[in-house]
Amino acid sequence: MSPDAFDRACLALPGATLSIQWGDDHVFKVGGKMFAVRGSGVTLGGGVSFKASDVAFEVLTESGQAAPAPYLARAKWVHFADLDALDAEEVADWVTTAHGLIAAKLTRKARAELGLS
């Protein structure tokens, strides 16, 4: 998956926004809360990190497909070092799930303002 395709997949989600933080990292948020990060070569080595369900976190990290994300592992975030090696459809599904997990924690009012059910 290309970096641009990752960005498009994240921004296609309802209420998703992009902010550039920590130098040149692309931080994707819903309701002001992060659900995915695409790193620059400096901080994340060009990889991606996102929130995962408890089951997905265990499966992806135990299989060695992903690593626990630095600083966010206890919140069940995973990190993939090489975005180019990942299947675009699979990544799009993962970020959709990440978006949903974070959006579900927003207040009812915030979800309504963003057009989320």
Side-chain angles (χ1 to χ4, degrees), residues 8-80:
R8 283 192 305 274
C10 291
L11 290 173
L13 299 167
T17 60
L18 166 63
S19 64
I20 307 299
Q21 294 179 216
W22 311 307
D24 194 28
D25 290 346
H26 290 208
V27 179
F28 299 92
K29 299 179 182 184
V30 59
K33 299 187 181 290
M34 295 190 318
F35 69 90
V37 177
R38 181 173 63 80
S40 65
V42 177
T43 55
L44 291 176
V48 295
S49 296
F50 48 82
K51 173 78 172 149
S53 69
D54 292 348
V55 172
F57 180 85
E58 295 302 323
V59 169
L60 291 170
T61 58
E62 287 180 10
S63 69
Q65 190 174 358
Y71 309 107
L72 293 168
R74 67 184 172 90
K76 305 292 187 200
W77 277 59
V78 293
H79 175 72
F80 291 86

